[in-house]
Amino acid sequence: WSSCLSTPPRMRKDVRILLVGEPNVGKTSLIMSLVSEEFPEVVPYRAEEITIPADVTPERVPTHIVDYSEAEQTDEQLFQEISKANVICIVYSVNNKKSIEKVTSHWIPLITENTDKDSRVPLILVGNKSDLVEHSSMETILPIMNQNSEIETCVECSAKNLKNISELFYYAQKAVLHPTGPLYCPEKKDMKPLCVKALTRIFKVSDLNNDGILNDNELNFFQRTCFNTPLEPQALEDVKNVVRKNLNDGVCDNGLTLKGFLFLHTLFIQRGRHETTWTVLRRFGYDDDLELNQDYLFPPLKIPPDCTTELNHNAYLFLQSVFDKHDKDRDCALSPDELKDLFDVFPYMPWGPDVNNTVCTNDQGWITYQGYLSQWTLTTYLDVQRCLEYLGYLGYSIIAEQESQASGITVTRDKRIDLQKKQTQRNVFRCNVFGDTGSGKSGFLQAFLGRNLMRQKTIREEHRSYYAISTTYVYGQEKYLLLHEVFPDFDYLSDADVACDIVCLVYDISNPYSFEYCAKVFKQYFMDSKTPCMMIAAKSDLPEIKQMYGFSPLEFCRRHKMPPPQSFTCNTAAAPSRDIYTKLTTMAMYPYWSVNTLHARLRCMCTCNRCTFCLCQNFLNSELLQRVRAKLYTVVLRRHVSQADLKNSTFWLRMSVGATVFAVLGFAMYRVLLKPR
């Protein structure tokens, strides 16, 4: 990997380097030698701040070099420069023991006192004037480095001979962009826990088949993702051989294990190639503190008013691959252990026990494939920022090779445009369920997930969910219907409680006071809105009792141009019928349909024989109409019609009059049938 290192992602806009030290140790000479590439004959007390353009520096980052002079600057100015610096070079003279002693007695304590404890500033010890001595000062400096973990490295150089000048400032840049401190503990000679945790997540995200091994294909994908270049087969074998020689269980089945993966990064850091590890960490979204960057987790996503958010096809494909990766027993459901393994790359468990009562599960209570996708759809619809965060933890942008998680989200168009165009491309529709306490709202939600009354009784109260989501089919199209149970206090309904695609009003037919609540909610919030509403006559397996309200539920629906109340019960031996949910989804998809159109399209299942649909159906199926139709067919269509008749205007006049008479008689019979009702 380290041999194929490309330019790492830039996490900073620039780097600010401050040089401090005792007078006459050569701070200003070092800066001037770097800029002019020759030793200056005249050295001022202090060099002006210098900015090196990004295209000149090895790390492609603008670099500001700041000099300090005790003769020209006050202590307050020094403290300000220390607080602004990204890295501080403490310069000493290799031929001056006093300047070396001052490193520990004065400069390190001074810098520590004037920097934030939480934001560690890396230090570099710079031994200048190496041309004046034959011996090295490293024996004296090494104990100082071991005692102070903030010291990144030590460089011996000569401003006069231009020795290690460019290397000095490269190491200073590197100390900021690729600091050793967060990665490695010199005392333990091992990586720090946060670094191990981050690399473990990266390994699991990169392990595409979840077998605990990075095979050659996965290693090459990882290499291309992080370094923009594949590994040659021989280089790949060399990497694995290095691990084999140093670690017994680092390679398994010719693939790299987690232990081998961590060993390689430890080796890079120990050999001074920690920029390799930082490149990997930053590609997978980590910042300088080894926390996932907020820009990575929450990419910008603009959502205009009256628009909703849905997962697109690419996101569903990715989530499907994640499911398949963790469904080890191939039973199309995630056991608790499989679910825990899936969310092992998260810093916390995102799904609680209530999720099992929000989506479809199997007989063991495990989330099915359909339930898994439904929960992701629900999260995207209700809280898209959380969905972006979750996709970030799973590594969507890396695995799907997209710019960010936002590419997996579709922002639907304004609902008003859908109404104007009388068509929609949306796939998720929200139904808010209203009803008085005990009316059967919870049972209605759970029945949507295929649970009858017996299964519902096993749900613990603390695991109860106020949402239910699953798929329905409307004219062959798969759509998601999201049911939301609204708390029964209609005096305090929020905008979110009212905003939806369709309203479901549930009343208990066995409770004479249950319907009154539905009527009040409708009149107060939905009577003048364009949101379609449907009345649900719940607990239809119980004897029906007259509702103590001014109108019967059927009469109320007729007066307010709503479909008639739909009978429903979840007290069944098998799974409850899903027909009612298809009707709700259809009404949500086509809110501009008239009541009569809806009634006809929804295949009215009521037996009231009072509504327009039922009356028309009865009329069309009546024996009288069948006889009239047969007679007309015989007289008009079966008689011989000559070519002369077809060209005769009198013939067509008679046909028109007959059709008109038939229509008038039909309407008159409809009115006669309607009166006694």
Side-chain angles (χ1 to χ4, degrees):
W1 284 327
S2 58
S3 62
C4 299
L5 183 65
S6 62
T7 303
R10 286 180 10 200
M11 300 299 291
R12 289 180 179 273
K13 292 183 178 179
D14 53 15
V15 173
R16 191 174 181 85
I17 304 171
L18 172 65
L19 274 69
V20 298
E22 294 299 297
N24 301 318
V25 293
K27 302 184 296 296
T28 307
S29 299
L30 288 170
I31 297 172
M32 298 184 72
S33 294
L34 173 72
V35 174
S36 61
E37 296 185 355
E38 61 180 7
F39 185 69
E41 295 182 2
V42 178
V43 181
Y45 283 112
R46 177 175 175 266
E48 294 296 324
E49 180 177 325
I50 294 170
T51 298
I52 302 175
D55 55 355
V56 177
T57 64
E59 299 292 344
R60 303 296 178 185
V61 178
T63 303
H64 310 281
I65 302 175
V66 182
D67 191 11
Y68 163 70
S69 171
E70 185 178 341
E72 291 195 356
Q73 290 177 288
T74 63
D75 289 345
E76 185 62 32
Q77 289 174 315
L78 172 62
F79 301 154
Q80 288 178 2
E81 290 295 348
I82 289 174
S83 65
K84 290 190 292 184
N86 301 128
V87 57
I88 299 175
C89 297
I90 304 177
V91 184
Y92 64 90
S93 178
V94 293
N95 64 343
N96 186 336
K97 290 185 178 180
K98 186 177 180 181
S99 68
I100 298 176
E101 292 171 359
K102 283 281 189 174
V103 170
T104 53
S105 64
H106 176 69
W107 289 109
I108 292 178
L110 179 71
I111 293 167
T112 304
E113 290 172 7
N114 289 278
T115 52
D116 190 354
K117 294 180 181 179
D118 296 328
S119 57
R120 172 186 170 277
V121 178
L123 305 178
I124 293 179
L125 301 185
V126 181
N128 191 24
K129 303 184 181 182
S130 62
D131 58 295
L132 299 180
V133 295
E134 295 181 359
H135 62 276
S136 172
S137 62
M138 293 305 294
E139 288 186 8
T140 309
I141 295 300
L142 279 175
I144 299 174
M145 293 178 64
N146 293 333
Q147 292 169 9
N148 299 274
S149 59
E150 61 269 25
I151 298 176
E152 287 285 326
T153 188
C154 177
V155 183
E156 287 191 346
C157 57
S158 170
K160 187 173 184 179
N161 294 344
L162 306 182
K163 177 185 175 183
N164 289 340
I165 301 298
S166 58
E167 288 82 357
L168 157 64
F169 292 100
Y170 168 70
Y171 286 130
Q173 268 192 342
K174 190 175 172 182
V176 178
L177 299 174
H178 316 298
T180 309
L183 306 181
Y184 191 74
C185 179
E187 293 83 6
K188 296 181 180 180
K189 296 183 178 179
D190 202 356
M191 285 190 295
K192 290 186 176 179
L194 269 180
C195 183
V196 172
K197 183 180 177 181
L199 290 172
T200 301
R201 171 186 165 266
I202 292 170
F203 178 90
K204 291 184 176 181
V205 168
S206 304
D207 183 11
L208 302 179
N209 58 8
N210 199 31
D211 63 350
I213 298 169
L214 294 184
N215 58 38
D216 288 358
N217 289 334
E218 290 165 342
L219 282 170
N220 264 313
F221 179 78
F222 173 84
Q223 176 73 16
R224 289 197 311 273
T225 299
C226 295
F227 306 107
N228 300 319
T229 179
L231 275 173
E232 295 295 329
Q234 186 56 49
L236 196 57
E237 283 303 312
D238 291 344
V239 168
K240 288 187 279 189
N241 286 334
V242 169
V243 177
R244 284 191 187 99
K245 290 178 183 178
N246 292 275
L247 209 62
N248 292 330
D249 50 356
V251 177
C252 180
D253 295 333
N254 203 36
L256 204 62
T257 65
L258 175 60
K259 285 186 177 180
F261 184 76
L262 295 175
F263 168 79
L264 271 179
H265 283 282
T266 304
L267 199 62
F268 292 147
I269 296 167
Q270 289 174 340
R271 292 182 177 180
R273 295 304 304 266
H274 38 279
E275 62 267 27
T276 303
T277 301
W278 273 116
T279 301
V280 172
L281 289 166
R282 285 173 177 151
R283 179 66 184 89
F284 279 80
Y286 288 92
D287 61 17
D288 291 349
D289 299 319
L290 295 184
E291 298 288 343
L292 284 171
N293 199 297
Q294 293 298 296
D295 293 338
Y296 167 80
L297 290 177
F298 304 104
L301 182 66
K302 186 178 180 181
I303 307 171
D306 295 322
C307 297
T308 59
T309 47
E310 300 176 358
L311 293 167
N312 62 27
H313 181 64
N314 289 334
Y316 278 120
L317 285 178
F318 169 75
L319 291 170
Q320 179 183 347
S321 71
V322 173
F323 182 94
D324 293 340
K325 172 179 173 178
H326 293 89
D327 181 21
K328 294 182 178 179
D329 53 9
R330 296 293 181 264
D331 62 347
C332 288
L334 294 175
S335 68
D337 288 339
E338 289 172 341
L339 200 62
K340 183 181 177 183
D341 185 38
L342 189 153
F343 290 125
D344 198 37
V345 294
F346 283 56
Y348 55 85
M349 184 65 179
W351 292 0
D354 61 311
V355 173
N356 294 60
N357 300 315
T358 305
V359 299
C360 294
T361 58
N362 63 10
D363 294 336
Q364 295 171 284
W366 300 350
I367 295 174
T368 62
Y369 172 69
Q370 180 187 352
Y372 164 83
L373 292 182
S374 296
Q375 179 61 26
W376 277 100
T377 303
L378 174 71
T379 306
T380 308
Y381 186 93
L382 296 179
D383 191 350
V384 69
Q385 291 299 317
R386 180 154 292 188
C387 179
L388 291 172
E389 179 188 0
Y390 291 173
L391 288 173
Y393 292 139
L394 291 173
Y396 171 78
S397 61
I398 291 109
I399 303 304
E401 299 183 80
Q402 299 290 331
E403 186 177 346
S404 73
Q405 298 89 273
S407 64
I409 306 296
T410 295
V411 179
T412 65
R413 70 184 180 189
D414 194 318
K415 293 181 183 179
R416 290 173 296 184
I417 300 176
D418 283 352
L419 289 172
Q420 290 170 6
K421 294 183 176 291
K422 294 189 176 182
Q423 61 179 0
T424 181
Q425 283 81 43
R426 293 165 59 211
N427 294 304
V428 185
F429 298 91
R430 177 170 179 154
C431 172
N432 284 356
V433 182
F434 295 85
D436 203 0
T437 304
S439 60
K441 300 188 301 298
S442 299
F444 185 73
L445 265 68
Q446 291 302 310
F448 184 36
L449 306 177
R451 296 167 188 152
N452 59 20
L453 191 60
M454 290 297 294
R455 282 193 65 183
Q456 292 177 27
K457 288 180 178 179
T458 63
I459 298 174
R460 296 167 63 178
E461 182 62 29
E462 60 268 28
H463 296 165
R464 180 182 172 189
S465 174
Y466 293 94
Y467 291 93
I469 184 170
S470 188
T471 55
T472 61
Y473 284 87
V474 178
Y475 301 126
Q477 299 179 61
E478 186 181 42
K479 302 294 180 182
Y480 281 95
L481 179 63
L482 164 59
L483 301 178
H484 171 47
E485 179 184 343
V486 180
F487 190 76
D489 188 353
F490 68 86
D491 291 328
Y492 297 98
L493 294 181
S494 65
D495 292 339
D497 294 329
V498 177
C500 58
D501 299 302
I502 183 169
V503 175
C504 192
L505 301 164
V506 181
Y507 72 95
D508 178 1
I509 67 168
S510 64
N511 181 350
Y513 302 100
S514 182
F515 178 74
E516 183 180 8
Y517 174 88
C518 295
K520 286 183 177 179
V521 168
F522 176 81
K523 285 187 172 182
Q524 185 167 341
Y525 293 101
F526 301 107
M527 188 165 66
D528 299 324
S529 75
K530 294 182 179 179
T531 306
C533 300
M534 180 178 280
M535 199 72 69
I536 305 295
K539 305 183 184 180
S540 61
D541 57 303
L542 301 177
E544 185 172 3
I545 298 176
K546 182 180 178 181
Q547 294 295 317
M548 303 301 291
Y549 189 72
F551 305 105
S552 69
L554 179 60
E555 184 65 24
F556 183 88
C557 291
R558 283 174 53 189
R559 283 176 175 267
H560 295 287
K561 298 181 180 180
M562 293 167 58
Q566 305 292 303
S567 299
F568 176 81
T569 180
C570 57
N571 190 11
T572 56
S577 171
R578 290 174 58 91
D579 291 340
I580 186 66
Y581 305 105
T582 303
K583 293 182 181 183
L584 287 169
T585 312
T586 305
M587 290 178 66
M589 284 182 66
Y590 305 104
Y592 40 83
W593 278 357
S594 66
V595 175
N596 289 341
T597 304
L598 272 171
H599 204 172
R601 294 269 187 164
L602 296 178
R603 302 290 189 272
C604 177
M605 297 173 64
C606 72
T607 57
C608 64
N609 290 325
R610 302 176 65 113
C611 61
T612 306
F613 178 81
C614 293
L615 290 172
C616 290
Q617 285 289 95
N618 293 337
F619 175 66
L620 290 172
N621 295 328
S622 66
E623 186 178 351
L624 174 62
L625 189 63
Q626 296 297 332
R627 287 180 182 177
V628 173
R629 186 169 59 183
K631 190 69 174 174
L632 286 171
Y633 181 78
T634 303
V635 172
V636 177
L637 300 180
R638 289 288 182 90
R639 84 176 186 87
H640 179 70
V641 180
S642 65
Q643 290 293 325
D645 287 334
L646 292 174
K647 295 179 180 179
N648 192 337
S649 60
T650 306
F651 170 79
W652 288 109
L653 180 61
R654 290 201 308 270
M655 291 291 291
S656 301
V657 171
T660 304
V661 170
F662 179 76
V664 171
L665 284 173
F667 183 72
M669 292 179 69
Y670 161 70
R671 294 296 299 271
V672 170
L673 289 169
L674 185 63
K675 274 187 178 180
R677 306 294 178 183

